[in-house]
Each structure stands twice: as C-alpha cells, then as structure tokens.
C-alpha cells in the first residue's frame, strides 16, 4: 500500500516537472514578423547576432548613413571646430536646418542638427569641412567601413539621399553602429539626446532640434540611434536600447511606416529571450604545463569570456586545447592554447590561453654550454694559478719597496 502511494506521489511530481518544463519552453517567443525587407538584432558587447532577416541584402540606408558621417567627424575633428557653410549645403534636398552660405556653427552643433533633425545640409557642411568635398569624404567613409568590417557597404554621400551605388546591409549598419557605441562616448551622448537648441544666424530665435527617433520617448531603455526615409529606400531605422546592463542594436531596412513598432518588437525579442553569461573571468588559471628546457608555466585566460545565449537552453560546456610541446623561452602573454565553449553542438566562441609568467631557458640546456664548460673547467685552474703568482709577486714588490730602516726597526 505504501509502495503504491509512493509511486503515485512520484508520478504526480514527475508530471508537474514535465508540465513545468513544457511551460518554460513555451515561454520562449518566436522571432517577430517585421514589415521591413531586412532586419537584424545584435548584442553590443559581444557582437552576437540574435535575429536576422536578409541581413546581408544590399539596400539603401537613407539617413542612417549619417551614423558613419558622425563617426568620422568625431574621430577626425574637434567639437569646438568652426564649420563654415559653403554653397553646396544650401542646395541639398530633403530635411534641412536651412543653413545659409557663410553661416558658421561649431562641429558639435552641426552634429546635433544632423543626428537629431537629420539635417542634410549639416551633413554636407561637415563633409566639406572634414575632407574638402563630398567625394573625398565618401572615400573616407568607405575606408572606415572596411576598417570596421562592413564589407558590403558603399557610401556615395554623407547624408543618405538617393544615389547610384549608395548601398549597405542591415548587418553592416549594426557593425558600424556597434563600433560607434563602443568607441565614441560623445556619439552615445548625441544619439540619446531628445531635444537640443542651436543658434540660427540672422534670426531672433534659435533652432529647436527634436530627435526624430520616436523610440526615445516610448521604448524603455532606448538610447539611440538614427532613423531615415527616402522614397526609394523606404523607412529605415537603427535603434539601440539598454536594459539591466545589456545593450542591443536593432536595424530595419526598406520598410513602411511601422519601423518603430517593428523595432520595438525586435528589441523585446532580444531582451526577453536571451541572457548574458560570463563563463570565464580574465586571468583565470586553467592549467600548469611543463616547459621543455625551462620551469613549468601557468596558463591563464587572456580576457573575460562573455556570451549571449538563449534562456532555458542546453547546458554550456567548455574544452581546453593546449599546445603539446612548449619550449623555453616563453614570454609572459604568449598564446599557448585556447578554450572553446559549446552549447550542444553549437560553438559559442573561444578565449586564448596565455602564459602567466616568463620562463627563461635554463643555461645548461644550450648545446654551447657543454662545449664551453670543459674548456672553462680546464682554463679556470690555469687562470687561478696565474692570479696567485701575480698576487705573490705584488706582495714581494711591496715588501722590497719598504726602506731598510723600517724593515729592521
């Protein structure tokens, strides 16, 4: 009777656990459907892609182009630089702050106008200030894109207005934006700003700038980056948001007017279904390895390994791969192996194992030591005997140099 009751309790408990597991699994959302032709969600810290749709399809970026314009302006210019408006900025189409030829603003003010109000005239003014012409600045943009790793991007202008060959991908825009967020504090400040005021030359009032990125007002944690629209590119957006220390980038290209709604859904998907895991701290000792011709060396992790993984998924495992033969000398920091992390059959990434200390080669392990040692062993007594004889002669000379009076005193 007792056995039957125990069996029943076990059965109920098992059913409860199974149902809990099913419920937990069902809580994982499916990726949202977006209207855009291409999209992506990327984790800023690790660069891991959490969602993608046609992420490498080349499309027009519209005003999200200005992200690269801002990067170059911040890296190669000074915020206090005075930018003088030439004729070309006054002739551009689209969104403007109505700069007049000869009008001056600081580079910082031009950047706020470009990134908040999407001012095309400010973008051209910045380009001419930085490179002398739009064409030369576009070449700088493309060079920087290659440097960042955006291989499928080609910029023709600094503002994103339609032009033959002016194309990028959702993936490349995420890479470019990630670079800016990680390396340029002033960029992060500008793209997170909702409103700003800059001078308006010849007017009694200042220019009131309002960020066109609606997510800054209605999405929790939103902190950037840039929207865009042209008749050929459709609606575009690169958005970023930070929650609980995690920052994500979402990109949508060639969409209709639902980009803000779709972008919110993509960001929600990334925050709700993935989590950050620190799997190994920097300088963690993984092994101690013997060194041929030297003392043992400790192998430590070169840096912290952080990854983003789906919640409630397979356990994470790791395996260390260390060089079979390590010969002295070894310098501190030499790469001697690596640790690879797996989730099921999926490789999450790796971290290098480096020498924690310098190991010098022991002198007696060199071939020349065994050639020189016998010669030294034979030569040393000879040199010692010569030294003794010289010492005795020196003492004798000193004794002979003493006057006879002192000698027999």
């Amino acid at each position: 009777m007792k056995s039957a009751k125990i069996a029943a309790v076990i059965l109920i408990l098992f059913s409860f656990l199974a149902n809990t597991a099913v419920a937990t699994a069902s809580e994982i959302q499916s990726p949202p459907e977006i209207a855009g032709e291409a999209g992506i969600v990327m984790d800023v810290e690790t660069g891991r892609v959490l969602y993608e749709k046609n992420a490498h399809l080349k499309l027009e970026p519209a005003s999200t182009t200005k992200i690269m314009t801002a990067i170059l302006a911040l890296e190669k210019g000074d915020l206090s630089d005075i930018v003088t408006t030439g004729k070309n900025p006054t002739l551009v189409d689209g969104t403007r702050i109505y700069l007049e030829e000869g009008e001056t603003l600081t580079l910082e003010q031009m950047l706020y106008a470009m990134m908040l109000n999407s001012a095309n005239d400010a973008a051209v003014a910045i380009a001419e200030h930085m490179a002398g012409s739009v064409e030369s600045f576009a070449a700088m943009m493309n060079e920087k894109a290659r440097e960042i790793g955006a291989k499928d991007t080609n910029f023709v202008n600094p503002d994103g207005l339609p032009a033959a060959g002016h194309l990028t991908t959702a993936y490349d825009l995420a890479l470019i934006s990630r670079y800016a967020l990680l390396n340029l504090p002033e960029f992060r400040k500008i793209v997170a700003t909702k409103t700003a005021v800059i001078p308006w030359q010849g007017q009694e009032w200042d220019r009131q700038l309002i960020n066109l990125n609606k997510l800054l007002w209605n999405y929790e944690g939103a902190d950037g980056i840039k929207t865009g629209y042209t008749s050929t590119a459709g609606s575009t957006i690169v958005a970023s948001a930070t929650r609980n220390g995690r920052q994500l980038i979402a990109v949508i290209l060639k969409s209709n007017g639902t980009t803000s709604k779709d972008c919110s859904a993509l960001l929600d998907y990334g925050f709700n279904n993935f989590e950050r895991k620190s799997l190994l701290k920097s300088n963690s000792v993984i092994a101690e390895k013997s060194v041929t011709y030297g003392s043992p060396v400790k192998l430590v992790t070169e840096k912290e390994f952080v990854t983003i993984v789906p919640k409630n998924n397979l356990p994470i495992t790791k395996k260390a791969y260390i060089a079979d033969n390590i010969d002295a000398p070894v310098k501190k920091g030499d790469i001697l192996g690596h640790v690879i992390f797996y989730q099921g059959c999926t490789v999450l990434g790796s971290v290098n194992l480096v020498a924690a200390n310098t190991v010098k080669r022991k002198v007696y392990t060199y071939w020349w030591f065994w050639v020189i040692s016998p010669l030294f062993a034979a030569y040393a007594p000879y040199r010692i005997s010569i030294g003794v004889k010289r010492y005795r002669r020196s003492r004798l000379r000193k004794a002979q140099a003493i006057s006879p009076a002192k000698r027999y005193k």
Side-chain angles (χ1 to χ4, degrees):
M1 188 68 177
K2 287 184 179 180
S3 299
K5 288 182 178 180
I6 292 172
V9 170
I10 292 174
L11 181 62
I12 293 171
L13 181 60
F14 179 79
S15 299
F16 172 77
L17 292 174
N19 290 333
T20 302
V22 171
T24 301
S26 66
E27 290 172 3
I28 300 176
Q29 302 171 359
S30 298
E33 294 289 334
I34 62 171
E37 212 167 298
I40 196 170
V41 178
M42 179 180 287
D43 177 72
V44 172
E45 182 182 14
T46 64
R48 178 168 180 185
V49 175
L50 310 182
Y51 163 92
E52 60 181 315
K53 173 186 176 182
N54 298 326
H56 298 280
L57 178 66
K58 293 183 180 182
L59 296 166
E60 293 181 59
S63 282
T64 58
T65 297
K66 296 181 174 89
I67 296 169
M68 179 60 85
T69 304
I71 289 172
L72 289 174
L74 290 168
E75 288 191 338
K76 298 184 179 298
D78 189 287
L79 292 176
S80 62
D81 287 349
I82 300 301
V83 180
T84 302
T85 304
K87 183 178 180 180
N88 291 327
T90 67
L91 303 177
V92 299
D93 295 325
T95 309
R96 295 172 287 165
I97 57 168
Y98 300 98
L99 290 168
E100 295 184 1
E101 187 173 356
E103 183 176 356
T104 60
L105 289 172
T106 66
L107 180 59
E108 181 178 28
Q109 291 164 343
M110 288 285 191
L111 281 168
Y112 273 93
M114 181 181 72
M115 296 304 288
L116 272 64
N117 265 46
S118 201
N120 295 326
D121 48 358
V124 174
I126 290 171
E128 292 187 338
H129 172 76
M130 301 298 301
S133 69
V134 164
E135 292 75 19
S136 295
F137 189 77
M140 291 168 57
M141 295 171 75
N142 290 323
E143 182 180 353
K144 189 65 181 181
R146 301 289 93 73
E147 178 187 319
I148 292 172
K151 299 178 181 179
D152 293 320
T153 293
N154 183 68
F155 293 116
V156 177
N157 58 53
D159 47 48
L161 289 172
H166 190 86
L167 299 169
T168 188
T169 67
Y171 178 77
D172 280 5
L173 275 178
L175 279 185
I176 292 167
S177 301
R178 176 175 180 252
Y179 172 88
L181 292 173
L182 290 176
N183 295 284
L184 300 170
E186 196 63 34
F187 179 90
R188 295 198 299 269
K189 177 184 175 183
I190 293 171
V191 298
T193 301
K194 293 181 179 180
T195 62
V197 178
I198 62 173
W200 196 334
Q201 183 176 303
Q203 302 293 338
E204 296 179 359
W205 53 86
D206 292 327
R207 292 178 170 99
Q208 307 294 320
L209 306 178
I210 300 176
N211 201 315
L212 301 179
N213 182 5
K214 296 178 182 178
L215 293 181
L216 292 176
W217 277 269
N218 56 34
Y219 188 82
E220 179 189 351
D223 48 20
I225 297 176
K226 189 74 189 73
T227 62
Y229 173 82
T230 68
S231 58
T232 55
S235 293
T236 64
I237 188 171
V238 178
S240 64
T242 302
R243 291 183 182 176
N244 300 318
R246 286 178 56 207
Q247 188 174 33
L248 301 181
I249 294 170
V251 181
I252 297 177
L253 294 179
K254 203 170 181 61
S255 185
N256 52 30
T258 65
T259 49
S260 292
K261 178 182 176 182
D262 288 348
C263 207
S264 296
L266 288 182
L267 291 169
D268 282 343
Y269 173 75
F271 284 124
N272 294 338
N273 293 281
F274 297 85
E275 60 184 341
R276 178 187 188 274
K277 284 187 178 291
S278 176
L279 302 180
L280 265 182
K281 297 295 183 183
S282 176
N283 209 40
S284 297
V285 178
I286 300 300
E288 187 172 68
K289 184 78 173 177
S290 60
V291 177
T292 307
Y293 310 130
S295 303
V297 63
K298 288 184 178 180
L299 276 63
V300 299
T301 49
E302 184 178 35
K303 59 184 179 180
E304 182 182 13
F305 183 81
V306 175
T307 189
I308 303 296
V309 294
K311 294 179 179 179
N312 307 312
N313 212 301
L314 297 171
I316 296 172
T317 58
K318 65 178 184 289
K319 186 172 182 180
Y321 296 86
I322 301 171
D324 292 330
N325 298 306
I326 303 175
D327 297 337
V330 175
K331 292 182 180 178
K332 182 179 180 180
D334 282 352
I335 298 174
L336 302 175
H338 54 275
V339 176
I340 298 180
F341 298 87
Y342 303 87
Q343 189 169 45
C345 296
T346 302
V347 176
L348 299 177
S350 65
V351 62
N352 288 331
L353 295 178
V354 299
N357 54 285
T358 294
V359 178
K360 295 182 178 180
R361 181 167 175 171
K362 295 176 180 178
V363 67
Y364 61 80
T365 64
Y366 289 98
W367 65 268
W368 48 260
F369 175 84
W370 298 103
V371 174
I372 293 175
S373 292
L375 298 175
F376 180 79
Y379 182 67
Y382 169 72
R383 291 299 305 171
I384 291 172
S385 66
I386 290 176
V388 171
K389 289 178 181 179
R390 287 178 177 175
Y391 174 74
R392 288 174 177 173
R393 283 198 298 268
S394 175
R395 290 288 302 271
L396 181 60
R397 289 195 194 100
K398 288 181 180 180
Q400 291 174 346
I402 298 174
S403 63
K406 287 186 177 180
R407 190 182 307 168
Y408 299 105
K409 186 175 178 180

